[in-house]
Amino acid sequence: MSQHDPHQAADALDAAPFDAGDVELIKRRCLHQGFFRLEELHLRHRLFEGGWSAPVVREVHRRHDAVGVLLYDVERDAVALVEQFRAGALDDPASPWKLEIVAGLVERGECRADVARREAEEEAGCPVGELIELHTYYPSPGACDERVTLFCGLIDSQGLGGIHGLDEEHEDIRVQVMPFARAWELMLAGRLDNAMCLIAFHWLAAERASLRARR
């Protein structure tokens, strides 16, 4: 019986076994084109045990990549969050108004860090000092091609608050500044219930002491 080598298994995971060349795109059809695009894909792909899958149909929501920025005041150990109506949460049992970190879409050719700084100004009226890149991830790769890049932006939260957003984008955004401990309580209570918030706050919980030690 062969011995299982965990190091060998870990090395095998460093690179994916297949790439885009292992997918045959048979047909692509646009189902809807609005602010976002919905496509129907007919394809087949290689299988782990060899050979090819039968043709399958998948619907993919195509949208811009996005950035999220957790605004953190090291001196005051406080965060600035934004609160706004979200159409995707219309049927939420509590409320379709959501507390979130600053976020925005990345247009083709734009630098993600520049978008992060711009969105912080537009949504929260907040200039960002140091910008720390956290993670890039797919929120829902089974159905959407969007990739999100998260940042932590170090700020001075004094005087932040009020209503912000762009009139031409029909934004009505309220800025909420609170101690980190209060925001963490809200997260544990389910009030911060989106992936950007959850990932960014768990990062900050792990790195907060080292950020504050740099003062």
Side-chain angles (χ1 to χ4, degrees), residues 2 11 15 32 56 63 69 74 79 89 103 106 110 129 139 141 143-144 164 167 172 185 187 191-192 197:
S2 62
D11 291 343
H32 172 76
V56 296
R63 52 177 291 158
V69 194
V74 174
V79 297
V106 181
E110 282 192 301
C144 183
H164 298 268
D167 290 339
D172 180 48
E185 288 175 358
M187 189 197 74
R191 182 74 169 88
L192 309 183
C197 265

Side-chain angles (χ1 to χ4, degrees), residues 28-69:
R28 183 196 301 268
R29 183 164 72 97
C30 178
L31 300 177
H32 172 76
Q33 179 66 66
F35 187 71
F36 302 119
R37 179 182 176 93
L38 182 64
E39 292 183 346
E40 180 185 85
L41 305 181
H42 296 246
L43 55 86
R44 64 185 195 128
H45 58 81
R46 291 193 185 275
L47 301 172
F48 288 118
E49 293 186 338
W52 288 80
S53 72
V56 296
V57 179
R58 294 288 184 266
E59 292 176 359
V60 175
H61 181 198
R62 299 185 65 86
R63 52 177 291 158
H64 296 286
D65 289 344
V67 298
V69 194

Side-chain angles (χ1 to χ4, degrees), residues 83 95 97-99 185-194:
E83 186 175 17
S95 171
W97 274 260
K98 293 297 178 184
L99 271 174
E185 288 175 358
L186 290 173
M187 189 197 74
L188 294 179
R191 182 74 169 88
L192 309 183
D193 56 356
N194 63 85

Side-chain angles (χ1 to χ4, degrees), residues 71-173:
L71 302 176
Y72 179 58
D73 185 333
V74 174
E75 289 293 326
R76 296 175 178 83
D77 193 25
V79 297
L81 299 174
V82 293
E83 186 175 17
Q84 61 188 311
F85 169 76
R86 289 307 206 185
L90 184 60
D91 295 326
D92 187 281
S95 171
W97 274 260
K98 293 297 178 184
L99 271 174
E100 304 170 322
I101 64 175
V102 162
L105 300 179
V106 181
E107 300 291 342
R108 185 180 297 275
E110 282 192 301
C111 169
R112 285 164 169 74
D114 291 344
V115 175
R117 292 181 182 278
R118 182 186 71 218
E119 292 296 333
E121 290 275 7
E122 290 179 359
E123 292 194 353
C126 180
V128 172
E130 183 180 353
L131 194 63
I132 304 166
E133 185 170 335
L134 313 186
H135 305 287
T136 296
Y137 65 95
Y138 287 94
S140 185
C144 183
D145 70 344
E146 178 190 38
R147 291 202 312 164
V148 172
T149 300
L150 287 183
F151 296 90
C152 179
L154 303 188
I155 64 166
D156 178 356
S157 64
Q158 185 172 16
L160 288 186
I163 310 301
H164 298 268
L166 299 178
D167 290 339
E168 61 268 28
E169 295 184 9
H170 307 288
E171 292 178 328
D172 180 48
I173 301 170

Side-chain angles (χ1 to χ4, degrees), residues 10-18:
D11 291 343
L13 292 175
D14 288 343
F18 304 126

